[in-house]
Amino acid sequence: RELDVVWNLTLAANAISANVEYGQIAGIEQLPEVEQVVLETRYEPQESAASEISMPMTAISTQMTGTNLAWQAGYTGAGRRIAVIDTGLDMDHKSFAAAPEANDNSMTTADIAAVLGDLNAYRRMNGKLTAEELYYSPKTPFAFNYSDSNLVTDHSRDSQGDHGTHVAGIAAANANVEGTEVVGMAPDAQVIVMKVFGATRAGVSDDIVAALEDAMTLGCDVANLSLGSTAGFTSSNTELDLIYQR
């Protein structure tokens, strides 16, 4: 019987993610090629009631964290790549519209093209994906939906919420945007949009690991995974914990 493979992971783990019937697990565990079978974890996006949301003023929080001093020293995030593995991004949001300050480390379509064949996103689309399609803008140079296996990375076609935009704003919202009090900690950094909460396989661990592997392949400096409950990112699965630690 042919295995219904979703992801073939090779960097963070030597693993195959597949859809199988629960009753088949015992038989799979007996195969000599299989060291362990791990059930994937499903995460729920954090939600807030409208009454709990106030006007964000992250321009003030930069003084609280000392980020403004880093800016004065010339550290604004230029050339840094931040992978936001979350519910996606409001791709037309004015805080991400302008091109950030760039340098030789800033991601371009050429950087994506150089590793295109090694990306899980590319393999998931059976090679029918180009660097130009993955590149959205100088601010968000890479965007892919790992949940639904497509290029829809905003919040408009699912009910998973706009937490990804919130997170991306804290990390790298552009500075001096008219009509907003929002500015990111690293306003000149690029945001690598990796949507893992979508209309189909929302918030499952294999999509998250697939996105993490692509973040590694793309040379991201940091990956943000503020997933799950307000208690933080936790897991009782030892093998998954090891993968995330690696």
Side-chain angles (χ1 to χ4, degrees):
R1 181 174 178 178
E2 186 175 348
L3 194 63
D4 181 13
V5 175
V6 180
W7 300 106
N8 191 349
L9 306 170
T10 58
L11 293 180
N14 182 17
I16 292 175
S17 162
N19 296 313
V20 302
E21 295 179 6
Y22 191 85
Q24 296 175 319
I25 293 178
I28 294 173
E29 289 177 323
Q30 298 304 312
L31 296 175
E33 301 86 354
V34 176
E35 180 177 331
Q36 185 180 8
V37 174
V38 178
L39 298 180
E40 68 180 5
T41 302
R42 185 175 186 273
Y43 302 93
E44 296 291 340
Q46 181 63 40
E47 299 180 0
S48 297
S51 60
E52 299 174 357
I53 301 174
S54 59
M55 175 63 70
M57 294 186 292
T58 57
I60 296 174
S61 66
T62 59
Q63 300 174 29
M64 298 170 62
T65 60
T67 306
N68 59 322
L69 300 177
W71 295 346
Q72 292 173 26
Y75 298 103
T76 62
R80 299 298 181 179
R81 307 171 184 184
I82 302 176
V84 177
I85 302 175
D86 211 291
T87 66
L89 182 76
D90 181 351
M91 304 301 288
D92 297 322
H93 197 289
K94 57 186 175 181
S95 289
F96 307 97
E101 180 183 336
N103 62 28
D104 292 341
N105 293 322
S106 298
M107 183 183 291
T108 65
T109 52
D111 294 321
I112 300 174
V115 297
L116 185 62
D118 297 324
L119 294 173
N120 288 319
Y122 177 83
R123 291 192 288 263
R124 186 69 181 135
M125 299 292 285
N126 297 316
K128 298 178 181 179
L129 192 62
T130 67
E132 288 74 19
E133 289 173 316
L134 288 166
Y135 186 94
Y136 185 79
S137 74
K139 182 66 176 180
T140 53
F142 179 96
F144 188 75
N145 184 332
Y146 291 81
S147 175
D148 304 323
S149 299
N150 59 37
L151 296 169
V152 178
T153 52
D154 60 13
H155 312 300
S156 64
R157 304 186 201 182
D158 58 67
S159 58
Q160 300 299 322
D162 56 3
H163 185 262
T165 297
H166 181 173
V167 169
I170 293 172
N174 286 336
N176 305 317
V177 177
E178 184 177 357
T180 177
E181 292 294 324
V182 174
V183 58
M185 299 294 102
D188 286 324
Q190 293 175 300
V191 177
I192 311 306
V193 183
M194 296 178 160
K195 184 177 174 70
V196 295
F197 290 86
T200 55
R201 290 166 37 85
V204 289
S205 53
D206 56 344
D207 292 344
I208 295 167
V209 176
L212 271 173
E213 288 196 341
D214 280 0
M216 295 163 63
T217 301
L218 291 166
C220 292
D221 299 283
V222 63
N224 186 89
L225 300 89
S226 51
L227 310 175
S229 70
T230 52
F233 188 91
T234 59
S235 170
S236 59
N237 190 312
T238 302
E239 184 58 34
L240 280 175
D241 288 341
L242 292 174
I243 291 172
Y244 292 130
Q245 288 172 16
R246 285 195 294 268

